[in-house]
Amino acid sequence: MLFLIYISSGLFLGWSLGANDAANVFGSAVGSKMVRFRQAALIASVFVILGAVFQGKGGAETLNALGAVDALAGGFTVSLTAGLTVMLMTRKALPVSTSQAIVGSIMGWVLFTGNKPDISVLIKIISTWVSGPILGMFFSGLLYFLLRKFLKRAKIHVVKLDTYIRISLILTGAFGAYSLGANNIGNVMGVFMQSAPRISIDFGLFMLDGAQLLLLLGGIAIAAGIFTYSQKVMQTVGNGLLSLSPEAAIVVVLSQALVLFIFSSSELSNLLIRIGLPPIPLVPVSSTQVVVGAVLGIGLAKGSNEINFRAFGQIAIGWIATPLVAGILSFFALFFVQNVFNQQITSKQTGKSIIESDSIHGNTLESLQLDFVIPFVILTVLVILTALIFFIMRQQRLRLKAENELLAQQNQYFHAQRTISELEMKAIQSRNELLNSNLDKKRKEFIDMAFNLTEQRLFLEEIITRLEELARSAVDSSNNNDLRSVIALIRQKMSFSKEKENFYGEVEMIHKDFKTKLETSFPSLTEQEKKLATLIRLNLSNKEIATLLSISPKSVEVSRHRLKRKLGLQSEDNLMQYINSI
Amino acid sequence: MFSFRHANSSIQLIDGFIDHIDKGIIIFKEGVFNYLDGNNSSFLDNLRTLSSLETEADIIRRKVENILYTQSLMPQLRGDIMRLLEELDNLIDLAKKNLYQFDVEIPFIPGELHQDMKKLTELAVAACESVLPAARSYFREPDKVKEKLHRAYLFEKEADKLADSIKRRVFRDMPNLKLSEKFHLRYFTLHIETISDAAEKAADLIGIIAIKRNI
């Protein structure tokens, strides 16, 4: 427990590193919305932990060699002051690097305890501060140049290129996160390496020793920083400093990952030794400074106009200011811890090493080997099962969402259709009403016309009767002849042939369908009977029909009877009702 | 997440959209020529074809927009791409409107102006036709865009000159025409000239967004 409290300052430093430096890896991708934050955070966390555990020892050991902080309270203070330096300088918007802060703090411890610093290690570390950004610039310039050449030749459609870029951003981001974990975990846990528990745990597939377990804790702290605080930083950095084109973002992340990987890979260093070249120093370098170098490298590849030389100046200020501030802070903090809290900040005071002095790490733990194969397998299976269940549930939820959306759309469509149908119905109804009123109006007109003709006929018959009486009583034969010719003229007019022609023309136009139906259903009907049926349909009286057909009302009655028979009706059936139903 | 399905369908739609614009402006030229030559049935046929091409182009443009936004494709470039498609769509829209105006207003174009009007139409259409290869180039080879655009600017300039000369002739050398007929001719010259102006606007946009892609 005490051990955990002591390393809490390291965990805080790890959290701060995760919150700030994950933006160097996924800032452009998240800021430009090419990759979602949750996706980026998950990938970055997993790969940071992997890098820290499997490749983080080199950098951590170099820091340890600079000044072997051999007491837990000393490690706590060194780590805390480095974290505070980063926080303070970030607040003051000064260029700062965790790597340089921790070196400054260690140097503060070395000076305070009066230990002799390993100058060769110090030179090695400082040389990487300079070579890191320069290497980043070189890599990015070269990669950018090659990528542009390739894209020019490949002529990939911009839409397809977008998918390739997304894949590349994820892959380079994963590599970048791995390298960040491998290289920068030294900053977080380097000062506690001496106090690493002497145990090893067998997970079946791999085995972790005490140092690696410490690095795992640091990696988890970085992952916590990524998940809890890096989103805002990614958005800010992605839309500000790293607001690059997606191609440039890939190059910057890849260059940074390569530089950090080179300065943390013991395999690569050993390979160089084997082929007779000098080894690569395994030192934590500032990812931010490498990124700045990489961005400048892209500017260089595009043309010197784009280079912002002020950025170099800021890096140089960081080289001097950060270790200086951290060293001073560390020196005074150690003084405070030693004299106020009476904590042992170095083993020199008691002559006991950190392991010996710590009650937790007694001889019992020294050669402890734990077999975690079964729990690890169970845990792995559980994780896979949980992921599977989560994935299936997510798919189900998405499918359900899609189905609901479809249903909502169909409902909307159905309602729209129903409204349209109702409107159409209303329109048809109003049109029918209009047609009916027009029909009634026309029917009335026809009745008026028929009534008018009947009236005229009766009036003319009256005139003829009077004229015939006058003709009979006339003495003068010439007058008699004149009267007879007037009577003939009136009788000619009484046929109303022109008016009737007009009348039938209009009636036929209105009742065209009726006539057609009548003709098809009863082909044996004569023309006169069809006319009679039409006039009955108009609801005209026998007298009016007689006038229109130029027959007597009695004859109309006979014709109606004959029509009834031809239509196949019984005597009790209503002729008018039947005709109206056709 | 890494599916190429949407990318491929968007590519097909964008290519199809540019093809529609290409066909549309060719049909516009045919339509104006048929109107001037008095081939009424062919003119009406051109009008119908152009109208359906314009409708289809609109539908394709909306489909592309839908895919780009719902699938979150190219968050940095989709705004530029949609603006480009809108500018290209504007070309076929204007062509359709112009041909409809010929159909509705039936302008009287004196025989001596027929050749000039045909030439003006050819220049406006050539400006549009020069923009389309540049638009295609934007998607695959943005650095080649510039060399394809200079023809569009040349044709637009020539179209402007010819339109001015036609208007000058109408108002100065044709006293027999009524003032209303002169106005009518001026408007139709302007309508055709507008297409070349729209081509120039599209060319400007392509130039800018291509530079943005190269940065």
Side-chain angles (χ1 to χ4, degrees):
Chain A
M1 191 62 201
L2 189 66
F3 175 70
L4 279 176
I5 292 169
Y6 274 124
I7 66 162
S8 63
S9 61
L11 298 179
F12 164 68
L13 195 63
W15 177 85
S16 148
L17 192 128
N20 287 305
D21 287 13
N24 293 334
V25 179
F26 275 111
S28 287
V30 173
S32 63
K33 294 180 184 140
M34 296 285 274
V35 179
R36 284 195 302 273
F37 170 73
R38 271 168 59 185
Q39 205 173 24
L42 186 72
I43 295 167
S45 301
V46 169
F47 282 90
V48 156
I49 294 172
L50 286 176
V53 174
F54 295 107
Q55 206 181 304
K57 259 187 182 173
E61 276 165 3
T62 310
L63 273 191
N64 198 34
L66 176 67
V69 184
D70 51 4
L72 268 173
F76 172 83
T77 316
V78 165
S79 199
L80 187 70
T81 48
L84 286 173
T85 308
V86 172
M87 209 171 79
L88 282 173
M89 289 187 71
T90 310
R91 282 215 170 167
K92 296 278 173 199
L94 292 166
V96 65
S97 145
T98 316
S99 313
Q100 284 144 24
I102 198 83
V103 169
S105 291
I106 293 172
M107 287 311 289
W109 179 86
V110 168
L111 288 175
F112 184 79
T113 53
N115 282 339
K116 210 176 166 197
D118 191 335
I119 298 296
S120 66
V121 175
L122 188 65
I123 290 169
K124 206 160 75 173
I125 290 174
I126 291 173
S127 71
T128 59
W129 293 354
V130 183
S131 56
I134 291 172
L135 210 57
M137 191 167 77
F138 169 72
F139 277 140
S140 75
L142 185 71
L143 286 171
Y144 192 72
F145 177 75
L146 292 174
L147 184 70
R148 289 302 285 259
K149 277 253 168 198
F150 168 74
L151 288 177
K152 231 177 218 183
R153 285 204 180 166
K155 293 178 189 170
I156 303 166
H157 196 284
V158 68
V159 185
K160 207 172 242 179
L161 186 66
D162 177 73
T163 314
Y164 288 129
I165 285 172
R166 272 167 206 260
I167 297 170
S168 308
L169 279 172
I170 298 268
L171 292 178
T172 52
F175 180 38
Y178 179 85
S179 301
L180 183 75
N183 189 280
N184 277 207
I185 193 71
N187 298 333
V188 179
M189 286 294 155
V191 291
F192 301 104
M193 286 306 272
Q194 292 249 340
S195 44
R198 303 274 169 96
I199 52 170
S200 56
I201 300 175
D202 187 5
F203 288 98
L205 283 174
F206 53 91
M207 199 177 222
L208 296 184
D209 58 24
Q212 280 178 311
L213 285 172
L214 202 62
L215 297 177
L216 176 68
L217 264 180
I220 291 169
I222 298 176
I226 295 171
F227 263 103
T228 54
Y229 207 75
S230 70
Q231 186 170 16
K232 214 172 131 187
V233 185
M234 280 189 194
Q235 299 284 4
T236 318
V237 169
N239 295 319
L241 177 74
L242 287 185
S243 178
L244 303 163
S245 71
E247 294 94 330
I250 292 168
V251 169
V252 167
V253 176
L254 190 61
S255 310
Q256 180 220 221
L258 280 171
V259 173
L260 295 189
F261 185 83
I262 287 170
F263 284 121
S264 62
S265 172
S266 48
E267 285 81 8
L268 199 68
S269 185
N270 293 339
L271 184 78
L272 288 181
I273 294 167
R274 275 205 297 278
I275 58 173
L277 288 169
I280 299 166
L282 304 179
V283 180
V285 285
S286 162
S287 63
T288 311
Q289 290 181 0
V290 177
V291 163
V292 173
V295 173
L296 287 172
I298 287 177
L300 207 66
K302 281 181 182 175
S304 57
N305 288 347
E306 304 237 3
I307 300 175
N308 177 9
F309 287 101
R310 272 191 67 184
F312 265 133
Q314 285 192 334
I315 293 179
I317 293 169
W319 291 336
I320 301 160
T322 315
L324 205 67
V325 174
I328 295 166
L329 255 179
S330 169
F331 190 89
F332 286 106
L334 286 165
F335 176 79
F336 197 68
V337 169
Q338 185 179 275
N339 297 315
V340 178
F341 293 106
N342 289 323
Q343 292 293 312
Q344 181 192 338
I345 52 155
T346 176
S347 60
K348 264 187 180 176
Q349 292 156 321
T350 56
K352 279 192 215 166
S353 82
I354 194 164
I355 306 300
E356 288 160 349
S357 64
D358 196 336
S359 60
I360 310 162
H361 305 110
N363 287 332
T364 46
L365 290 177
E366 214 159 286
S367 57
L368 188 63
Q369 272 212 357
L370 299 172
D371 187 358
F372 267 47
V373 178
I374 294 167
F376 179 68
V377 169
I378 292 169
L379 189 75
T380 312
V381 170
L382 276 176
V383 167
I384 291 169
L385 274 177
T386 316
L388 211 67
I389 290 167
F390 175 76
F391 181 73
I392 291 167
M393 278 173 69
R394 190 166 165 265
Q395 287 298 102
Q396 288 279 1
R397 209 171 54 231
L398 285 176
R399 199 186 310 154
L400 208 70
K401 199 178 158 194
E403 277 173 9
N404 280 340
E405 271 173 18
L406 192 72
L407 203 71
Q409 267 184 1
Q410 279 175 349
N411 268 338
Q412 213 176 352
Y413 180 72
F414 169 73
H415 283 302
Q417 283 288 329
R418 204 169 63 179
T419 318
I420 291 169
S421 304
E422 279 171 3
L423 283 172
E424 276 176 359
M425 283 284 285
K426 273 185 189 166
I428 290 167
Q429 271 177 0
S430 61
R431 212 169 57 202
N432 280 346
E433 277 168 15
L434 189 73
L435 282 174
N436 278 336
S437 72
N438 279 347
L439 205 67
D440 274 349
K441 212 168 126 189
K442 267 293 184 222
R443 193 191 290 256
K444 272 179 193 156
E445 272 177 23
F446 292 146
I447 290 169
D448 283 351
M449 210 187 272
F451 184 74
N452 202 12
L453 285 177
T454 314
E455 286 289 303
Q456 281 186 49
R457 188 187 165 90
L458 287 172
F459 178 68
L460 290 174
E461 269 176 3
E462 179 71 31
I463 291 171
I464 288 169
T465 318
R466 295 267 181 96
L467 283 173
E468 275 175 347
E469 277 172 14
L470 278 173
R472 270 197 297 275
S473 60
V475 185
D476 192 350
S477 63
S478 65
N479 283 347
N480 197 350
N481 283 339
D482 286 344
L483 281 170
R484 294 280 168 207
S485 64
V486 170
I487 290 167
L489 206 66
I490 293 170
R491 279 196 194 281
Q492 210 178 359
K493 173 67 191 160
M494 265 174 70
S495 66
F496 295 113
S497 51
K498 204 176 168 188
E499 284 82 354
K500 277 195 252 175
E501 209 177 288
N502 282 343
F503 178 80
Y504 284 120
E506 285 202 33
V507 169
E508 263 188 38
M509 216 169 77
I510 300 290
H511 298 276
K512 208 170 158 186
D513 288 349
F514 170 72
K515 205 182 168 194
T516 320
K517 277 183 193 169
L518 204 66
E519 276 169 356
T520 44
S521 308
F522 307 100
S524 62
L525 290 180
T526 61
E527 207 50 45
Q528 190 74 357
E529 282 163 345
K530 282 181 219 164
K531 273 185 188 172
L532 177 65
T534 315
L535 295 173
I536 291 169
R537 195 178 159 84
L538 284 173
N539 203 13
L540 296 179
S541 69
N542 282 357
K543 214 172 173 181
E544 286 155 353
I545 294 171
T547 312
L548 288 166
L549 293 179
S550 306
I551 53 173
S552 68
K554 188 79 188 162
S555 303
V556 174
E557 268 181 39
V558 174
S559 300
R560 284 178 82 126
H561 183 71
R562 201 178 296 134
L563 180 66
K564 212 170 170 181
R565 228 176 36 214
K566 276 201 173 176
L567 295 177
L569 299 174
Q570 300 299 317
S571 54
E572 62 270 17
D573 293 333
N574 189 328
L575 179 66
M576 207 171 94
Q577 265 181 11
Y578 181 76
I579 285 173
N580 277 330
S581 70
I582 292 174
Chain B
M1 187 178 79
F2 298 139
S3 162
F4 283 93
R5 191 163 54 91
H6 292 298
N8 287 334
S9 68
S10 321
I11 292 169
Q12 274 178 2
L13 286 170
I14 290 169
D15 286 344
F17 176 81
I18 298 176
D19 289 345
H20 272 67
I21 309 294
D22 203 3
K23 283 182 214 161
I25 50 178
I26 292 169
I27 297 290
F28 168 73
K29 187 169 85 176
E30 288 291 308
V32 176
F33 280 26
N34 280 324
Y35 179 85
L36 292 170
D37 296 341
N39 303 326
N40 202 36
S41 64
S42 303
F43 168 75
L44 290 174
D45 197 37
N46 293 144
L47 192 62
R48 273 192 292 273
T49 315
L50 183 56
S51 180
S52 70
L53 281 171
E54 193 266 338
T55 313
E56 281 166 27
D58 272 343
I59 294 168
I60 297 174
R61 186 169 59 82
R62 280 191 208 107
K63 273 187 191 168
V64 173
E65 189 173 27
N66 199 29
I67 293 178
L68 292 188
Y69 281 89
T70 54
Q71 301 304 320
S72 298
L73 296 179
M74 299 176 296
Q76 286 185 325
L77 292 179
R78 64 186 169 206
D80 287 346
I81 292 176
M82 284 322 300
R83 259 170 55 211
L84 170 62
L85 297 190
E86 273 162 29
E87 286 297 339
L88 295 180
D89 193 33
N90 193 29
L91 297 179
I92 197 170
D93 279 352
L94 282 173
K96 190 194 86 173
K97 267 188 205 160
N98 280 351
L99 217 54
Y100 263 105
Q101 271 159 342
F102 272 101
D103 182 44
V104 173
E105 298 179 22
I106 319 168
F108 166 68
I109 299 170
E112 59 260 46
L113 282 181
H114 280 196
Q115 273 315 311
D116 278 351
M117 287 301 258
K118 281 184 180 177
K119 182 82 185 155
L120 179 65
T121 311
E122 272 177 349
L123 285 170
V125 166
C128 297
E129 283 174 340
S130 312
V131 165
L132 298 181
R136 285 187 207 274
S137 212
Y138 166 76
F139 293 102
R140 290 182 193 274
E141 302 167 273
D143 45 328
K144 295 252 169 82
V145 161
K146 209 169 174 142
E147 65 194 59
K148 290 182 180 174
L149 281 178
H150 74 277
R151 289 164 67 92
Y153 291 120
L154 175 77
F155 288 131
E156 193 275 333
K157 215 170 166 185
E158 289 302 309
D160 277 358
K161 272 194 228 164
L162 186 59
D164 278 347
S165 131
I166 291 172
K167 282 182 250 178
R168 224 177 278 274
R169 271 184 73 190
V170 166
F171 283 96
R172 292 191 182 174
D173 306 335
M174 294 185 167
N176 297 334
L177 287 177
K178 284 189 269 176
L179 188 62
S180 59
E181 286 171 339
K182 288 180 182 177
F183 280 167
H184 213 189
L185 280 170
R186 184 187 73 178
Y187 277 120
F188 272 84
T189 313
L190 196 69
H191 289 328
I192 299 172
E193 196 190 341
T194 316
I195 295 182
S196 65
D197 289 341
E200 188 193 25
K201 212 174 150 200
D204 285 342
L205 179 73
I206 297 169
I208 292 165
I209 59 176
I211 291 168
K212 267 173 80 180
R213 266 201 73 193
N214 280 326
I215 288 172

